[in-house]
Amino acid sequence: MTESDEIATPEDDTDDNSYALDRKAVAAILYSVDVGDREKLVELMEPLHAADIADLLEQINAFDRMRLIKLYDKEFDGEILSELDDPIREEVMRLLNPEVLADAVRELDSDDVVDLLEDLDEAQQEAILDVLEDSDRVAVEQSLTYPEYSAGRLMQREVVMAPEHWNVGEAIDYLRNTEDLPEQFYHIILVDPKLRPVSNVTLGRLMASRREVLLKSIAEDTFYVIPVTRPESEVAYAFNQYHLISSPVVDENDRLVGVITIDDAMAVLDEEHEEDILRLAGVGEESRLSDSVLETTRQRFPWLAVNLVTAVLASLVIAQFEDAITRVVALAVLMPIVASMGGNAGTQALTVAVRALATKDLTGSNVWRIIRREVLVGLVNGAAFALIMGLVGLFWFDSAHLGAVIASAMIINLVVAGLAGIGVPVILEKLGVDPALASGAFVTTVTDVVGFFAFLGLAVLVLL
């Protein structure tokens, strides 16, 4: 087996890592870079998908990345650029030979070029625009005039449309005689004389119908038109909710200006999910493995500072019961358990709430039902763990009263955790604050403060 044969592909590998980069292949690629063997490098890279090459460039260090790009040179595919994370993509674009970069950009669809340009400064944008054909440049510049994170930025300008009065034969002849069709498309968009989209015809229905059949008679039943200013998050939701494959985009006059396809919509949905996860963890929505130490520190420091403030608040509650803790040492042993259980229960409810808000499953019509459910879940779980901790208090510390105190505190905190886990993100969304970004700190504060106060307060009342 040669080194090039070791590159894993989905067809020849059935283990759990069948879609991951093969370590031996990566080592072989880096070795060819070390020895300057361009022919071998091209041979090893040729079977890889653009997304795999992008992963490779993101995983290796900056020095190896520079050497690989310089050696790979003219073989660089434009699709690789569209798969890279923004910081790495900017670095790669600076390293590429200007002629190679120009060829790579020309290969991309208009939506990918727009995505490429969004985070560049004006000078860099102008350099990219200069290499485009005049018609492509006009289309890209028009897309850049639309609001950021809107359908106008997400759409591609390359569309396949036909008059609504055509038949199947006319459409097939048109497709066969057109040289600049998009590389991938799923529908023919039917338009009226004013270029307003009226329906979609799938390629499958087109090819299965006789030539004399009218296109409008085989149009899809489900048809959604997306305004050019519609936020891309809502576009992604519509694609996921209504199982769309592609959808036309219209301007303020309802004229067709582009099309959004499922791959772009799902990329937005994936980004939304990733951002929610990162925000919930307080590590910054743009956090990446390729970030520098300074950048990673900058992203994480603010939320660590917020957590410090919440920890101080919890400590202030504990300080109010310093005398009780001194007299009953068992309180110091058991009180972290109450707060920890409340924190975990709150995080569980919070995660469900944030995801449900993002998918629009949690609305004003069902919010009170969900809140009641979480409170009851907290009550049931609290009662179960209260029984366990009551027995711990009884047998570990030989105190039925201490067992009753921690059992009661457990019930109180788990009920409050369920209420806070749902209520906090709902309230934050009503106030216009991203619930994924800020909910965690508030829920943690509530469960810590309530947990400590309930446990220590009850201890003072019952034990002292």
Side-chain angles (χ1 to χ4, degrees):
M1 177 182 292
T2 64
E3 287 176 323
S4 60
D5 293 330
E6 294 175 348
I7 297 179
T9 61
E11 291 80 8
D12 60 18
D13 195 346
T14 57
D15 64 22
D16 291 340
N17 294 318
S18 58
Y19 297 102
L21 284 171
D22 185 277
R23 288 185 298 175
K24 292 182 179 179
V26 173
I29 289 171
L30 292 179
Y31 178 75
S32 66
V33 171
D34 287 337
V35 299
D37 189 343
R38 185 177 186 279
E39 183 177 342
K40 189 63 176 178
L41 176 65
V42 173
E43 179 187 341
L44 292 168
M45 298 276 276
E46 194 275 333
L48 294 178
H49 189 277
D52 293 323
I53 297 176
D55 285 345
L56 172 65
L57 292 174
E58 290 168 358
Q59 291 172 15
I60 62 180
N61 62 50
F63 178 66
D64 287 337
R65 189 159 49 240
M66 176 196 68
R67 294 189 301 154
L68 189 154
I69 290 170
K70 295 294 185 184
L71 191 62
Y72 197 46
D73 195 36
K74 295 180 181 179
E75 304 296 328
F76 200 92
D77 189 339
E79 290 296 324
I80 301 171
L81 291 174
S82 66
E83 299 286 348
L84 288 166
D85 285 340
D86 293 341
I88 302 298
R89 181 164 58 196
E90 292 180 34
E91 177 188 334
V92 169
M93 289 170 63
R94 288 194 299 268
L95 292 170
L96 284 172
N97 182 297
E99 294 180 1
V100 175
L101 177 60
D103 290 339
V105 171
R106 291 192 193 102
E107 296 174 6
L108 297 174
D109 290 331
S110 58
D111 58 324
D112 291 324
V113 178
V114 171
D115 184 51
L116 205 69
L117 296 177
E118 283 181 323
D119 298 314
L120 301 179
D121 59 39
E122 288 189 17
Q124 292 172 315
Q125 287 185 353
E126 192 62 32
I128 297 297
L129 290 170
D130 285 342
V131 307
L132 299 176
E133 301 290 339
D134 289 343
S135 58
D136 292 334
R137 175 170 182 149
V138 170
V140 170
E141 287 181 325
Q142 178 63 40
S143 293
L144 288 171
T145 63
Y146 297 121
E148 193 173 7
Y149 306 117
S150 68
R153 293 285 186 99
L154 188 63
M155 70 181 182
Q156 64 183 59
R157 302 300 291 258
E158 298 86 4
V159 298
V160 180
M161 58 182 174
E164 59 181 329
H165 63 266
W166 271 12
N167 61 29
V168 168
E170 290 172 305
I172 291 176
D173 291 341
Y174 166 73
L175 294 177
R176 287 175 175 168
N177 295 323
T178 301
E179 296 182 356
D180 58 346
L181 289 174
E183 287 190 10
Q184 292 184 354
F185 64 97
Y186 312 99
H187 292 112
I188 295 178
I189 302 171
L190 304 187
V191 295
D192 67 12
K194 293 185 178 181
L195 286 183
R196 294 176 299 195
V198 294
S199 57
N200 277 336
V201 173
T202 65
L203 294 181
R205 292 290 299 275
L206 179 77
M207 301 307 297
S209 302
R210 300 178 65 86
R211 290 182 61 87
E212 63 271 15
V213 174
L214 291 176
L215 291 178
K216 60 184 177 182
S217 69
I218 58 172
E220 280 195 301
D221 295 331
T222 303
F223 181 66
Y224 288 89
V225 174
I226 299 173
V228 73
T229 55
R230 180 69 52 83
E232 63 178 23
S233 59
E234 294 185 15
V235 173
Y237 173 80
F239 268 73
N240 188 53
Q241 180 76 0
Y242 304 115
H243 311 295
L244 305 179
I245 300 298
S246 69
S247 191
V249 181
V250 297
D251 62 15
E252 62 276 7
N253 298 315
D254 293 329
R255 290 166 56 98
L256 179 66
V257 291
V259 63
I260 293 175
T261 55
I262 188 171
D263 56 327
D264 294 317
M266 291 304 99
V268 171
L269 200 61
D270 186 55
E271 290 173 4
E272 293 280 325
H273 292 169
E274 181 181 318
E275 287 177 6
D276 284 349
I277 292 171
L278 293 174
R279 286 170 173 173
L280 280 170
V283 296
E285 62 187 77
E286 298 295 331
S287 183
R288 299 180 178 88
L289 292 177
S290 57
D291 290 342
S292 66
V293 172
L294 184 62
E295 179 64 18
T296 303
T297 302
R298 185 189 66 79
Q299 292 169 348
R300 298 183 185 181
F301 183 87
W303 290 106
L304 288 175
V306 171
N307 286 334
L308 176 62
V309 173
T310 63
V312 170
L313 289 175
S315 298
L316 290 175
V317 173
I318 296 173
Q320 305 307 308
F321 300 94
E322 183 178 352
D323 182 59
I325 296 172
T326 303
R327 295 168 61 183
V328 184
V329 178
L331 298 179
V333 176
L334 294 176
M335 67 181 183
I337 298 176
V338 178
S340 176
M341 290 295 291
N344 286 331
T347 300
Q348 289 174 336
L350 168 64
T351 304
V352 171
V354 170
R355 187 72 248 129
L357 287 170
T359 58
K360 305 185 189 305
D361 291 327
L362 182 57
T363 64
S365 62
N366 67 357
V367 63
W368 289 111
R369 177 173 61 82
I370 301 302
I371 288 176
R372 285 195 299 272
R373 187 197 72 171
E374 290 299 329
V375 169
L376 289 174
V377 168
L379 183 61
V380 173
N381 280 334
F385 287 107
L387 177 61
I388 295 171
M389 291 310 301
L391 294 174
V392 169
L394 176 62
F395 292 108
W396 187 2
F397 296 99
D398 195 24
S399 172
H401 290 94
L402 180 59
V405 166
I406 192 170
S408 302
M410 188 73 73
I411 294 174
I412 292 170
N413 206 23
L414 263 64
V415 169
V416 170
L419 180 61
I422 294 292
V424 167
V426 169
I427 292 171
L428 289 176
E429 188 189 45
K430 293 293 184 183
L431 296 175
V433 179
D434 188 342
L437 185 62
S439 297
F442 286 109
V443 171
T444 300
T445 301
V446 170
T447 55
D448 282 354
V449 170
V450 170
F452 289 136
F453 187 82
F455 179 56
L456 297 174
L458 288 170
V460 169
L461 292 175
V462 173
L463 303 177
L464 300 180

